[in-house]
Amino acid sequence: MFEGLRFNHWKTSLDDDGIVTLTLDRANSSVNAISREVLDELGQIVERLTIEKPTGVIIHSAKSNGFAVGADIKQFVEYAKHGTVQENIENGQRVFESLARLPCPTVAAVHGACMGGGTELILACRQRIATDDDKTRIGLPEVMLGIHPGWGGSARLPRLIGAPEALAIMLTGKALSARRAKSLGVIDRLARPEELLAEARSLLRHPHARPLTQRATAWATNSWLVRQILAPMVIKQTATKVRKEHYPAPFSLIDVWKRGGSDIQQRLKLEARSVAKLANTSTAHNLIRIFFLQERLKSQGSGVDANIKHVHVVGAGVMGGDIAAWAAFKGFEVTLQDREMKLIQPALDRARTLYEKKLKIPDKVEAASRRLRPDVEGAGVAKADLAIEAIFENAQAKEALYATIEPQFQNNEMLVSNTSSIPLDALRKGLKAPQRFLGLHFFNPVAQMPLVEVVRHDQLDPAVEKRALAFCKAIDKLPVAVKGTPGFLVNRILMPYLLEALRLYNEGVPGPVLDKQAKSFGMPMGPIELADTVGLDVCASVGQELAPFLELELPPGLEDKLEAGKRGKKDGQGLYTWQDGKPQKPEVDPDYTPPPDLQERMILAMVNEAVACLGDGVVDDADLLDAGVIFGTGFAPFRGGPIQYVRSEGVENIRQKLESLAKRYGERFTPKNGWDHPALKQSTVELSVGH
């Protein structure tokens, strides 16, 4: 059937029943990213299939890790640079529409990750079957890159499963499990992994009939009248989560759906134009850059065996207990030590709740729970490959603990501190093997925050640092290596922002006004709510540690709150009153006018310290600094991080604003060392691709 045609990325076979199997296997790549070359070859294959008219077509992947990770993002960046996004989007649409119009039945057989363009490929098939496996994930995450589906995803999915569910999938970018995809109608049938292709053939011969109610819902929710009624409601709901000026893609997607009629060609045209327009926005450039930075962080632990099976954690408080729970969740044997069982039990209870939420299946919950064992006596130290200290922030207490742990080590075990601010050059002084000691600073809540700071000191063995990076990869965290100077990276940059917000609060600016200003900049949570969430005791402790180094003063009033037992969210009282885990923010006088430089005072305090970190070499380069601050604080992702923000706003412009603030409010705003760093001069466009 394919005589005379040679393909680099597709394998083709024809069986005795006239069924053609197309196997996607992108050359020289461990994953299937859908490139222009992959699409062009598929276009040639589909053209031949249109003529030959086989009995049916099955499409699957030769890669063991999944079906397809989506479009080739590096190629997409090149299209954006050269202004050819729409042309290349339309090319992909044509190929998939040709596949959809084949006169024979087509089945996509999915295993593992099926994302973005991969999902749009399977939507162009008549039927879909997937492995009933935890690793199977199907999604359209394009909004996370500042765009939306462009190869027919927005044109086909609402018509397949109904608009409400389809919009939810595309607007959140969250992936579906195989079973969830089946229940929604994205997938027609599930199969055991070893029977996927056999079941695909069966589905080809005996197509799945979609339930009448499903077809009726799909039709009704896409009618003109429903689109006009539903779209404003979805826009309103979306606007409560993101601002249109910050993240335009979700709003463009809703508009494309609202305007799309019954003709798929018209829907595809709207989709292509919209994606091409979004590709030119600074939001898309910055979110794509962050995607590449995330991939860079993930890759740091590759190719190295951490040689860790057993983890021992000392300190069963919120951080230590949750680090232990997460390590056990990720498959490690974990022992958790504290002075009494009653101090460990709350951590075990929280772990159980985490496992039930994440794993759902009772047998898996039990298995994870068994991997996390209480250890009041500390017997697990002698068997551990990695010991993590997570006790309170006191250098003498930590050093005393190390003196009991280190003699129990047998060979090349690693000793790690979860300290959030104490310099490691001080902590390592009494150790016999300081080369195997380092910091792993996790962020709260451990199960949600992706970043871990891998904290260096002057005697750290580089091979041990690589093992630590590999451990972070094994527990699905994003590591950033940082200098062991006070506050490391994230807390050092965050503290001036929090302290300035607390200073403004003491000056009489209402907390809700401060929070609103920070969120309007793009922060995920305002500083007053953040201080209460972290805990005013933690803010005071880290602040006291960092204030002399940062040449800042702790604002008055914190000690009074702490003495009254008002530490924030955990006590139900802090800067706000808390009920059911939510702050009860007071009403602000409608006549209140905030100071015009309110946002600048908070944000530029943080940006100034970020530039100082760059100048001091706290991280290896500016990209890692931006990645660390975004994944560690939630710093407005659409702005690309503090260094990218400086580049986009102009170095001299930001410096002048700081100098002006210094004249009005004091030396804390004086531009710090680092403003002449060459990385600040680089073009934001040039950096959108990342590494």
Side-chain angles (χ1 to χ4, degrees):
M1 185 178 286
F2 297 101
E3 294 82 2
L5 293 176
R6 293 190 62 189
F7 306 113
N8 293 319
H9 309 293
W10 292 90
K11 295 182 175 72
T12 62
S13 65
L14 175 66
D15 70 13
D16 293 340
D17 295 326
I19 296 172
V20 171
T21 301
L22 305 180
T23 307
L24 177 55
D25 189 8
R26 181 167 169 177
N28 306 313
S29 175
S30 60
V31 296
N32 285 328
I34 301 177
S35 62
R36 177 68 187 241
E37 295 75 24
V38 168
L39 282 172
D40 287 347
E41 288 188 3
L42 180 59
Q44 292 178 52
I45 292 167
V46 171
E47 194 177 328
R48 183 63 64 91
L49 293 173
T50 305
I51 299 165
E52 299 288 349
K53 296 184 177 61
T55 306
V57 176
I58 295 170
I59 299 179
H60 79 119
S61 162
K63 306 295 187 190
S64 60
N65 53 16
F67 185 83
V69 294
D72 186 319
I73 307 300
K74 287 182 180 176
Q75 280 194 353
F76 185 85
V77 170
E78 291 302 312
Y79 301 151
K81 279 184 183 177
H82 296 102
T84 60
V85 170
Q86 187 165 335
E87 173 195 324
N88 281 282
I89 289 286
E90 288 170 348
N91 176 66
Q93 288 181 342
R94 278 192 299 273
V95 173
F96 287 177
E97 181 60 7
S98 298
L99 173 63
R101 289 177 179 273
L102 279 177
C104 61
T106 52
V107 170
V110 179
H111 71 277
C114 179
M115 297 290 150
T119 299
E120 291 174 295
L121 171 55
I122 71 170
L123 288 173
C125 295
R126 304 266 180 87
Q127 305 259 289
R128 287 149 295 280
I129 186 169
T131 53
D132 188 3
D133 186 277
D134 290 344
K135 292 177 183 175
T136 301
R137 284 285 183 271
I138 298 166
L140 291 164
E142 287 86 347
V143 288
M144 295 177 183
L145 299 177
I147 55 175
H148 60 67
W151 286 337
S154 73
R156 290 193 176 90
L157 190 61
R159 306 277 162 161
L160 178 70
I161 65 170
E165 296 287 7
L167 288 171
I169 290 166
M170 294 186 286
L171 289 170
T172 63
K174 289 180 181 173
L176 304 171
S177 67
R179 292 190 178 189
R180 179 66 176 146
K182 168 74 166 60
S183 71
L184 290 175
V186 178
I187 294 296
D188 298 292
R189 192 180 295 176
L190 298 176
R192 291 203 292 266
E194 66 275 14
E195 295 174 354
L196 179 63
L197 286 180
E199 288 294 319
R201 286 188 180 87
S202 171
L203 184 59
L204 204 60
R205 288 190 291 268
H206 309 289
H208 169 77
R210 299 180 71 75
L212 180 60
T213 52
Q214 208 172 59
R215 283 181 284 148
T217 301
W219 176 84
T221 58
N222 286 283
S223 66
W224 181 87
L225 182 60
V226 170
R227 281 184 279 124
Q228 309 318 303
I229 296 168
L230 191 58
M233 294 166 63
V234 181
I235 286 171
K236 188 176 179 182
Q237 188 180 30
T238 304
T240 64
K241 294 173 182 157
V242 293
R243 292 170 177 259
K244 186 176 181 179
E245 64 270 27
H246 294 169
Y247 297 99
F251 300 92
S252 297
L253 172 63
I254 297 164
D255 183 61
V256 163
W257 170 73
K258 179 187 174 185
R259 293 164 58 204
S262 58
D263 177 14
I264 190 167
Q265 294 303 328
Q266 181 246 6
R267 300 200 302 273
L268 291 172
K269 193 172 287 187
L270 289 171
E271 182 185 74
R273 287 175 180 167
S274 178
V275 173
K277 186 177 178 183
L278 289 167
N280 287 323
T281 62
S282 61
T283 296
H285 293 168
N286 283 328
L287 293 182
I288 288 170
R289 173 173 173 263
I290 291 165
F291 167 79
F292 285 117
L293 292 179
Q294 185 172 1
E295 293 301 300
R296 181 182 172 194
L297 297 188
K298 284 179 184 175
S299 70
Q300 289 183 115
S302 299
V304 177
D305 183 359
N307 200 21
I308 295 168
K309 292 183 175 62
H310 183 153
V311 178
H312 183 79
V313 180
V314 184
V318 171
M319 289 307 296
D322 290 1
I323 291 166
W326 186 258
F329 172 61
K330 288 297 173 183
F332 290 88
E333 294 296 324
V334 182
T335 41
L336 178 58
Q337 180 183 355
D338 215 312
R339 296 188 308 277
E340 299 175 74
M341 187 62 204
K342 69 179 183 182
L343 299 174
I344 300 174
Q345 191 59 50
L348 300 180
D349 294 341
R350 288 197 310 277
R352 181 86 187 190
T353 302
L354 172 72
Y355 303 154
E356 287 171 351
K357 181 182 176 184
K358 293 271 189 185
L359 298 170
K360 295 182 174 64
I361 300 167
D363 287 353
K364 292 184 177 180
V365 173
E366 290 303 323
S369 298
R370 281 196 299 272
R371 289 194 293 270
L372 176 59
R373 301 190 301 279
D375 183 12
V376 175
E377 302 301 322
V381 173
K383 302 170 189 172
D385 307 300
L386 169 67
I388 300 176
E389 167 269 303
I391 65 170
F392 57 99
E393 289 290 85
N394 179 286
Q396 288 73 32
K398 290 177 187 289
E399 287 165 15
L401 177 62
Y402 301 160
T404 68
I405 290 177
E406 198 180 25
Q408 297 183 63
F409 283 165
Q410 311 290 320
N411 192 4
N412 65 343
E413 295 85 353
M414 286 165 39
L415 175 61
V416 157
S417 175
N418 181 51
T419 179
S420 58
S421 57
I422 302 174
L424 265 69
D425 287 355
L427 289 179
R428 59 106 181 126
K429 283 181 179 171
L431 294 171
K432 290 186 172 62
Q435 71 275 14
R436 292 200 302 275
F437 170 69
L438 76 161
L440 285 182
H441 178 219
F442 290 77
F443 293 84
N444 190 24
V446 173
Q448 294 173 30
M449 295 298 284
L451 188 78
V452 174
E453 289 177 318
V454 178
V455 189
R456 297 163 166 163
H457 58 85
D458 57 356
Q459 291 188 20
L460 175 62
D461 181 348
V464 172
E465 180 181 320
K466 286 179 181 174
R467 283 180 65 198
L469 293 170
F471 173 69
C472 290
K473 183 180 176 68
I475 59 170
D476 280 342
K477 294 296 179 186
L478 302 176
V480 171
V482 298
K483 249 187 192 177
T485 48
F488 315 139
L489 176 70
V490 172
N491 280 345
R492 175 174 167 180
I493 288 172
L494 195 59
M495 196 48 60
Y497 162 74
L498 282 178
L499 292 181
E500 194 61 33
L502 291 171
R503 186 188 288 263
L504 283 158
Y505 183 83
N506 285 343
E507 289 174 9
V509 180
V513 172
L514 292 163
D515 285 348
K516 187 177 179 182
Q517 284 287 322
K519 290 188 80 171
S520 75
F521 176 80
M523 300 301 284
M525 181 185 286
I528 303 303
E529 186 178 340
L530 177 63
D532 261 1
T533 302
V534 170
L536 299 184
D537 54 334
V538 176
C539 290
S541 170
V542 176
Q544 285 163 357
E545 184 75 37
L546 293 183
F549 177 75
L550 297 174
E551 298 178 345
L552 295 171
E553 293 177 8
L554 282 179
L558 270 185
E559 292 302 327
D560 294 342
K561 291 275 186 190
L562 296 178
E563 285 172 14
K566 297 178 178 180
R567 296 175 298 172
K569 183 178 180 179
K570 53 191 164 191
D571 289 330
Q573 288 282 335
L575 300 171
Y576 292 133
T577 299
W578 291 74
Q579 287 180 6
D580 300 323
K582 293 183 178 178
Q584 307 304 301
K585 297 188 180 185
E587 291 291 325
V588 177
D589 184 341
D591 295 328
Y592 176 79
T593 304
D597 55 7
L598 181 63
Q599 191 180 95
E600 284 185 356
R601 280 180 65 179
M602 293 189 293
I603 300 301
L604 294 192
M606 178 164 41
V607 168
N608 197 18
E609 201 57 50
V611 172
C613 286
L614 185 64
D616 291 348
V618 172
V619 286
D620 291 341
D621 59 53
D623 282 353
L624 289 176
L625 190 150
D626 277 347
V629 177
I630 287 168
F631 294 119
T633 73
F635 182 98
F638 72 94
R639 296 190 188 275
I643 302 304
Q644 187 80 332
Y645 173 68
V646 169
R647 292 173 181 137
S648 62
E649 294 293 311
V651 176
E652 284 310 311
N653 177 37
I654 299 291
R655 276 185 78 148
Q656 285 170 15
K657 285 183 178 180
L658 282 166
E659 286 163 357
S660 175
L661 290 171
K663 285 176 185 172
R664 271 176 280 167
Y665 302 109
E667 290 184 359
R668 67 185 182 278
F669 286 107
T670 302
K672 298 195 170 189
N673 291 333
W675 283 91
D676 55 353
H677 196 285
L680 294 176
K681 309 290 193 294
Q682 286 176 279
S683 152
T684 55
V685 175
E686 161 195 340
L687 283 158
S688 64
V689 184
H691 283 252

